[in-house]
Amino acid sequence: MFRTALHNVLAHKARLLMTVLAVMLGVAFVSGTLVFTNTISDAYQNSSAKGFGQVDVAVQAKSQEDKGNTISKRPELTQAVLDRSAKVPGAASAIGVVGGFTAIADKDGKLIGGGFQSQGGNYWGAKDPRYPLTSGSAPHGGNQVAIDSETAHRAGYKVGDTVRLSVDGPVLTPTITGIFTTDDGNVAAGGSLALYDTPTAQKLFGKAGTYDEIDVKAATGTSQTALKAGLDKALGTKLVETTTARQLADDQAEQISSSMSGLKKGLLVFAGIALFVGTFIIANTFTMLVAQRTRELALLRAVGASRRQVTRSVLIEAFVVGAVAGVTGLVAGIGIGAGLRSLMNTLGATVPDGPLVISPGTIASALVVGIVITMLAAWLPGRRAAKIPPVAAMSSMHAKATTKSLVLRNTLGALFSAAGIAVVLAATTMDGSDGQAPMGLGAVLLIIGVFILTPLLSRPLIAAASPLLRAFGVSGKLARQNSVRNPRRTAATASALMIGLTLITGMTVMAGSLQKSIDKMASSAIRADYVVSMANGNELSPDVDKKLNATAEVTATSPLRNVYARIDGTGESLTGVNGSAIADLTDLKVDSGAFKVGATQAVVDEDTAKSRGWKEGSSFTAHYEDGKSSRLTVSGVYEGNEFIQGILIDSGTVTPHMTDPGDMRVLVKTADGASGTTKDKLEKALGTNPAIKVQSKQDLSDDVAKMFTLMLNMLYGLLAMAVIVAVLGVINTLAMSVFERSQEIGMLRAIGLDRKGIKRMVRLESLVISLFGGVLGIGLGVFFGWAAGELIGTKMATYELVLPWTRMAVFLLLAATVGILAALWPARRAARLNMLTAIKSE
């Protein structure tokens, strides 16, 4: 039986090629994902490990827990703590570390690096061992800075140049005195690092006389553990905590691995989708192969082969196919992983250098996925073939499904579909986060149910296309009949395309609806002409609000200044605003009371009011970080949104209690409204600072649109794999259908149907099957998009469903294109059949 199975594999090379390709694509996606994520993770982890080369034990301030209405002040690492650390037995040296955000502009005034990757810090003394200088000298004073060599190379800076940079708002123009090398992972990933002398760094980052961390280097012969014990004894463990460099490296590696896990899971989901789609094709292929060899298998049974041996022979064929596909898919996946890394560098997302990582787990996963998926897909057709009695199999080429099996299948499909719809609808009534898992379960159940019911659905839906097919005469009539002749085969082929289009349509519906909701939120919640913020999301300096107010075009501004306080024993984030202007700069719907913010008046969003049991006229006491408090009264309750929410109070009330005030955003109203000229004037007033964004409401919407467009393009690219697999499925089905119907096609040629008519028949059959899958996919995608929107609507009041009719038409056209392209080779093959040879075939 083993030899027979191998002979069958070699005898049906052409028919099994599409199966190998389908499995190979799925395996390539999985192995490529693992190679890519493992390579990136390894590169970052190695880079992080190098970054701890100049520290053996790190001393940090211990986080303090808040108790009652008292806000504990975080302990400070002062110069005295640094001096004690340096004198601990076994310590060779101690360095005080200060850091924060620093945006560096290139020579065109644009931000170098991106967001959190733009960092600043302090250069210790005249020669900092952490940052070896390649040219120049250490920075001294507030007008000098050193920058990393990667940033200098990208921007074309050299020692002696003047550079524009910003820490929290105001533009600084220091001179570059030194260029250094660093193993910092952020720099390796495309960020930037600017270093000042320690007093300047402490002043710029609002940490005068204190440090964020103290790095202690062990003397020769002293272990990290011994040094840590000595520091704990000298400094105590009540206010500070010590961590060895080894532990720091492990913790950072774990964080990097955790951050990469989201990307890995997301990519693996799409790999799973491609495999899921491929499974249908594999099962379909083996079903047809087994059906075509029914007599052969029956003959084996007649000469003594048992059912188990027949099933085993089919599984051996599947094993060989899966092994070949697994190996080739692994090789292709390695290429995909390398290509994705190169693509990231091309797009500007620089990653640290490092070797391509091909782990034993990746190799094992590729082979297991290829072999197991193929064997599972082939098991049911093999088992079904083995159960056919030899006499019945010899007398008929095709085993027809019994009424009992069809009733069972339709009943099972109806139950799965009903359960899926019920769970999805139930999930739409839940809170956003609580409903995610049930909705995912319901979606899976519904897709499985529709797949099971697809043979039943194929007849009425394909019959609906009959009027259109009549225009093609005999070819159209034959195409319709061929499409519904074997509903199971048609269903398996159409389902592959259905799943891909379900996901694409659902994502498109959600993205379009979210975009419309964001636009609506920006236009309905904000009356201000501009919103000013930091490019990396950090806080703005209060000087930004002052400079904007001093600009002639500005008529009103309001900062959104976050301050932490405790109310009734629990923490709460308050937002300080310009009480006299905030009502004119926003357009928030007030549910009760009035939108008045003053010295003792506050407005509260409805969620906060509900959770704390407040209403118009309620009073509460806010306890601030300086130990003082103020009594406030709720003047109104408003409908919050993602842009503005929470407790709004006058900034004049909270600012005196803040040690380091900063604004998340500043709302700006101008005399002439939003225009390019006004925006240029505001940017110029802020020093043409690359770290500060001045955005109109349209700019805010455009930013969101870019994000959704990028997300959709990534999803389309990933889901294209599933569509490619679906195309292979259509080609496979048609090719094997042509082979199976060789005698019939020969008879059609003999009674007068020409080659052109044969080609048209096969193409129309392919078109009908593809459009059937497209209609099902788009319908399910719209349903899932609506259901997911209901969940989002619980968190976003402005959410409304938007159906992208144009894109859905494009998706349907895509399905038709898939059908036409997939039919090219099978149609040509059918037309080229010799009619006499075909008539004599069995």
Side-chain angles (χ1 to χ4, degrees):
M1 293 303 296
F2 180 74
R3 287 196 303 270
T4 301
L6 290 181
H7 173 75
N8 286 327
V9 171
L10 296 175
H12 302 108
K13 293 188 288 291
R15 283 179 279 169
L16 288 172
L17 177 61
M18 294 300 175
T19 306
V20 172
L21 287 174
V23 181
M24 186 198 75
L25 282 173
V27 173
F29 205 175
V30 172
S31 56
T33 297
L34 294 174
V35 168
F36 172 66
T37 52
N38 288 340
T39 297
I40 300 301
S41 296
D42 185 73
Y44 275 116
Q45 288 170 7
N46 290 340
S47 179
S48 300
K50 293 177 184 177
F52 294 109
Q54 297 300 322
V55 56
D56 287 306
V57 179
V59 180
Q60 298 171 320
K62 181 174 281 188
S63 300
Q64 303 294 301
E65 295 182 0
D66 297 338
K67 298 179 180 179
N69 287 322
T70 302
I71 299 179
S72 301
K73 189 175 181 180
R74 187 181 178 89
E76 295 180 337
L77 299 179
T78 61
Q79 185 64 37
V81 177
L82 175 63
D83 293 339
R84 288 205 304 273
S85 300
K87 295 176 181 178
V88 169
S93 62
I95 296 175
V97 179
V98 183
F101 171 73
T102 295
I104 303 177
D106 60 20
K107 291 185 177 181
D108 295 327
K110 296 181 180 179
L111 178 66
I112 298 174
F116 70 93
Q117 296 175 336
S118 301
Q119 299 295 319
N122 65 312
Y123 191 92
W124 190 256
K127 189 176 182 180
D128 193 326
R130 300 172 299 169
Y131 308 110
L133 291 169
T134 58
S135 61
S137 58
H140 293 287
N143 199 37
Q144 293 187 358
V145 69
I147 64 172
D148 68 271
S149 56
E150 290 293 327
T151 299
H153 175 72
R154 288 198 300 268
Y157 284 128
K158 60 182 184 296
V159 173
D161 288 346
T162 298
V163 61
R164 294 173 63 83
L165 52 82
S166 172
V167 174
D168 60 357
V171 176
L172 305 175
T173 55
T175 300
I176 298 174
T177 62
I179 295 175
F180 59 89
T181 60
T182 177
D183 290 324
D184 187 285
N186 286 324
V187 173
S192 62
L193 180 61
L195 300 178
Y196 320 89
D197 66 8
T198 299
T200 301
Q202 289 175 323
K203 179 182 177 181
L204 290 174
F205 300 129
K207 298 159 186 173
T210 64
Y211 303 97
D212 294 320
E213 182 177 297
I214 296 172
D215 291 344
V216 185
K217 186 73 176 174
T220 304
T222 302
S223 68
Q224 291 184 357
T225 305
L227 180 59
K228 180 182 185 302
L231 288 166
D232 287 340
K233 182 178 180 180
L235 304 177
T237 57
K238 185 177 181 180
L239 300 179
V240 300
E241 57 184 352
T242 58
T243 311
T244 63
R246 188 179 297 106
Q247 184 62 48
L248 287 173
D250 291 343
D251 291 345
Q252 192 165 41
E254 185 177 345
Q255 290 176 1
I256 292 170
S257 178
S258 176
S259 65
M260 292 299 295
S261 67
L263 174 63
K264 183 182 292 187
K265 288 177 182 176
L267 291 173
L268 286 175
V269 165
F270 291 101
I273 292 168
L275 281 175
F276 189 50
V277 174
T279 302
F280 294 148
I281 297 167
I282 299 164
N284 196 21
T285 300
F286 274 94
T287 298
M288 288 187 287
L289 286 174
V290 170
Q292 291 169 7
R293 291 166 42 212
T294 303
R295 288 189 178 181
E296 175 188 326
L297 296 175
L299 182 59
L300 290 175
R301 290 287 313 282
V303 297
S306 65
R307 289 184 178 182
R308 183 176 297 178
Q309 285 177 312
V310 171
T311 304
R312 191 183 304 155
S313 71
V314 176
L315 291 178
I316 290 172
E317 292 181 47
F319 175 82
V320 174
V321 171
V324 172
V327 172
T328 54
L330 174 62
V331 174
I334 293 171
I336 290 173
L340 285 174
R341 176 172 174 167
S342 299
L343 180 62
M344 285 188 68
N345 290 330
T346 302
L347 295 176
T350 310
V351 296
D353 293 330
L356 202 64
V357 178
I358 307 168
S359 67
T362 300
I363 297 173
S365 297
L367 295 178
V368 168
V369 166
I371 294 171
V372 171
I373 290 293
T374 307
M375 292 185 69
L376 285 176
W379 175 75
L380 186 59
R383 183 172 176 270
R384 187 185 298 133
K387 293 175 68 175
I388 301 173
V391 175
M394 287 181 181
S395 63
S396 177
M397 194 56 189
H398 309 289
K400 299 183 180 299
T402 63
T403 303
K404 180 181 178 182
S405 68
L406 290 175
V407 170
L408 178 63
R409 177 177 181 131
N410 293 336
T411 302
L412 191 62
L415 290 174
F416 268 98
S417 299
I421 293 172
V423 174
V424 169
L425 292 178
T428 61
T429 64
M430 302 178 184
D431 183 68
S433 55
D434 295 337
Q436 290 176 3
M439 182 162 292
L441 174 62
V444 171
L445 290 174
L446 181 54
I447 288 176
I448 293 174
V450 171
F451 170 66
I452 297 173
L453 285 175
T454 307
L456 180 66
L457 298 172
S458 64
R459 291 185 179 277
L461 288 178
I462 292 177
S466 296
L468 297 176
L469 293 175
R470 287 197 192 106
F472 296 96
V474 174
S475 297
K477 183 178 180 180
L478 290 172
R480 186 188 69 80
Q481 291 175 348
N482 290 333
S483 300
V484 297
R485 177 187 296 179
N486 192 332
R488 288 187 175 182
R489 182 189 305 161
T490 298
T493 306
S495 296
L497 191 59
M498 175 193 77
I499 294 172
L501 286 179
T502 295
L503 294 165
I504 291 175
T505 304
M507 294 292 183
T508 304
V509 169
M510 287 177 58
S513 301
L514 282 169
Q515 177 61 50
K516 181 68 179 290
S517 304
I518 296 294
D519 290 345
K520 187 176 179 181
M521 184 190 302
S523 60
S524 64
I526 306 171
R527 288 179 181 165
D529 296 314
Y530 293 97
V531 177
V532 180
S533 62
M534 288 290 282
N536 70 325
N538 278 4
E539 292 185 340
L540 290 161
S541 166
D543 291 339
V544 171
D545 185 41
K546 294 177 183 177
K547 288 182 179 180
L548 290 169
N549 270 309
T551 306
E553 288 76 15
V554 175
T555 58
T557 68
S558 175
L560 300 181
R561 183 168 299 170
N562 288 353
V563 56
Y564 181 72
R566 294 191 70 81
I567 300 172
D568 297 331
T570 59
E572 190 74 62
S573 180
L574 314 180
T575 302
V577 298
N578 182 346
S580 61
I582 189 65
D584 296 327
L585 295 169
T586 58
D587 190 17
L588 300 168
K589 182 180 178 181
V590 179
D591 292 336
S592 62
F595 197 84
K596 292 182 180 179
V597 180
T600 60
Q601 292 177 308
V603 292
V604 183
D605 73 307
E606 55 188 359
D607 290 340
T608 304
K610 183 178 179 180
S611 65
R612 291 191 173 270
W614 293 343
K615 58 183 180 179
E616 177 194 358
S618 298
S619 296
F620 62 93
T621 302
H623 301 267
Y624 305 107
E625 61 184 32
D626 63 352
K628 298 180 181 179
S629 61
S630 59
R631 189 71 177 171
L632 302 168
T633 301
V634 177
S635 61
V637 177
Y638 69 93
E639 289 186 7
N641 54 55
E642 282 68 21
F643 190 80
I644 299 177
Q645 58 185 321
I647 303 172
L648 307 184
I649 58 180
D650 193 271
S651 57
T653 301
V654 298
T655 301
H657 304 291
M658 301 175 68
T659 56
D660 186 23
D663 303 326
M664 293 306 298
R665 289 184 289 268
V666 178
L667 306 182
V668 182
K669 190 77 173 175
T670 58
D672 299 327
S675 68
T677 303
T678 303
K679 183 177 179 179
D680 290 340
K681 290 180 179 179
L682 294 180
E683 290 177 342
K684 188 174 181 180
L686 296 174
T688 316
N689 193 325
I692 297 180
K693 295 192 295 185
V694 179
Q695 295 177 291
S696 64
K697 287 186 283 188
Q698 186 60 49
D699 292 334
L700 291 172
S701 296
D702 289 345
D703 267 5
V704 176
K706 289 178 183 177
M707 179 183 69
F708 284 130
T709 301
L710 177 63
M711 179 188 70
L712 275 180
N713 288 339
M714 290 176 62
L715 291 174
Y716 289 161
L718 292 169
L719 289 171
M721 184 69 74
V723 175
I724 291 171
V725 175
V727 172
L728 291 176
V730 178
I731 296 173
N732 212 12
T733 298
L734 291 173
M736 304 195 78
S737 178
V738 167
F739 177 83
E740 179 184 295
R741 302 193 328 251
S742 295
Q743 188 179 63
E744 174 189 321
I745 292 171
M747 291 294 296
L748 290 172
R749 288 290 315 283
I751 62 176
L753 190 62
D754 59 12
R755 290 186 174 182
K756 187 179 292 185
I758 294 292
K759 285 184 179 180
R760 187 183 299 119
M761 177 188 72
V762 176
R763 288 170 183 164
L764 289 174
E765 180 183 347
S766 174
L767 181 62
V768 167
I769 292 173
S770 297
L771 286 176
F772 170 54
V775 169
L776 284 181
I778 292 172
L780 283 175
V782 170
F783 176 70
F784 290 139
W786 165 81
E790 291 296 301
L791 276 185
I792 297 171
T794 62
K795 298 291 185 181
M796 183 181 290
T798 57
Y799 185 87
E800 65 175 90
L801 180 68
V802 175
L803 294 180
W805 295 106
T806 303
R807 291 205 177 189
M808 287 194 293
V810 171
F811 296 156
L812 198 60
L813 182 62
L814 172 65
T817 305
V818 165
I820 293 171
L821 293 178
L824 292 178
W825 178 65
R828 184 169 179 269
R829 185 171 182 268
R832 289 167 62 92
L833 285 175
N834 183 288
M835 67 178 74
L836 295 179
T837 305
I839 290 172
K840 288 188 295 182
S841 66
E842 293 185 353

